[in-house]
């Protein structure tokens, strides 16, 4: 019988990098669905903000705070619904894909930091760069 080989201990960075590269598909789908929605709405906010600063007379006046509120709510709701649609529960021995509130919860928990991070990038990084 051969003695077991010694395994090399991985650093925390190596462990996290491997986890990042091999993320579960449901998590990737949840994050991507929320990210796509957040980016589209963030670009819309950026265009709206630039138009207002350049003196455009838009109906309703300055509604930036309302836009940001609706932006975050839409990312949370649409991210949850899209995740609920594209992330079915494991089927086990059945062939029918089942969905539950857990899929929507996964989408909600993925959407919260994504909505925040996209708005930070848009308002604190891109906006000052575009003047």
């Amino acid at each position: 019988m051969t003695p077991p080989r010694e395994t090399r201990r991985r650093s925390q960075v190596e462990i996290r990098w491997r986890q990042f590269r091999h993320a579960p598909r449901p998590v990737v789908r949840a994050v991507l669905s929320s990210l796509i929605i957040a980016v589209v709405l963030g670009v819309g906010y950026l265009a709206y903000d630039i138009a207002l600063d350049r003196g455009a007379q838009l109906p309703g006046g300055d509604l930036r705070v309302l836009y940001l509120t609706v932006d975050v709510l839409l990312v949370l709701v649409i991210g949850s619904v899209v995740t609920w649609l594209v992330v079915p529960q494991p089927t086990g021995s059945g062939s029918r894909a089942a969905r539950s509130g857990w899929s929507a919860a996964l989408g909600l928990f993925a959407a919260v930091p994504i909505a925040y991070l996209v708005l930070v990038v848009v308002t604190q990084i891109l906006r000052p760069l575009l003047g």
Side-chain angles (χ1 to χ4, degrees):
M1 190 156 150
T2 61
R5 291 185 6 197
E6 257 189 63
T7 58
R8 182 179 66 89
R9 286 195 55 82
R10 293 182 177 157
S11 71
Q12 286 296 318
V13 173
E14 288 175 305
I15 292 169
R16 298 296 173 234
W17 179 246
R18 187 175 192 297
Q19 288 174 341
F20 175 74
R21 288 183 316 178
H22 301 290
R25 284 187 199 154
V27 173
V28 172
R29 290 176 184 167
V31 169
L32 278 179
S33 65
S34 297
L35 183 63
I36 290 168
I37 295 161
V39 167
V40 168
L41 292 173
V43 169
Y45 174 77
L46 185 62
Y48 182 72
D49 190 37
I50 290 172
L52 284 177
D53 282 351
R54 293 193 177 160
Q57 297 297 324
L58 300 173
D62 187 354
L63 300 173
R64 285 181 260 213
V65 174
L66 178 63
Y67 189 103
L68 288 176
T69 305
V70 171
D71 179 324
V72 171
L73 289 175
L74 281 175
V75 170
L76 296 179
V77 170
I78 295 173
S80 295
V81 170
V82 169
T83 303
W84 180 78
L85 290 172
V86 299
V87 181
Q89 289 180 317
T91 56
S93 63
S95 61
R96 191 176 127 258
R99 287 170 173 60
S100 75
W102 289 108
S103 294
L106 174 66
L108 178 70
F109 293 137
V112 170
I114 289 171
Y116 174 75
L117 289 173
V118 167
L119 287 178
V120 167
V121 168
V122 166
T123 59
Q124 303 298 315
I125 297 172
L126 293 179
R127 181 63 181 111
L129 287 176
L130 297 176

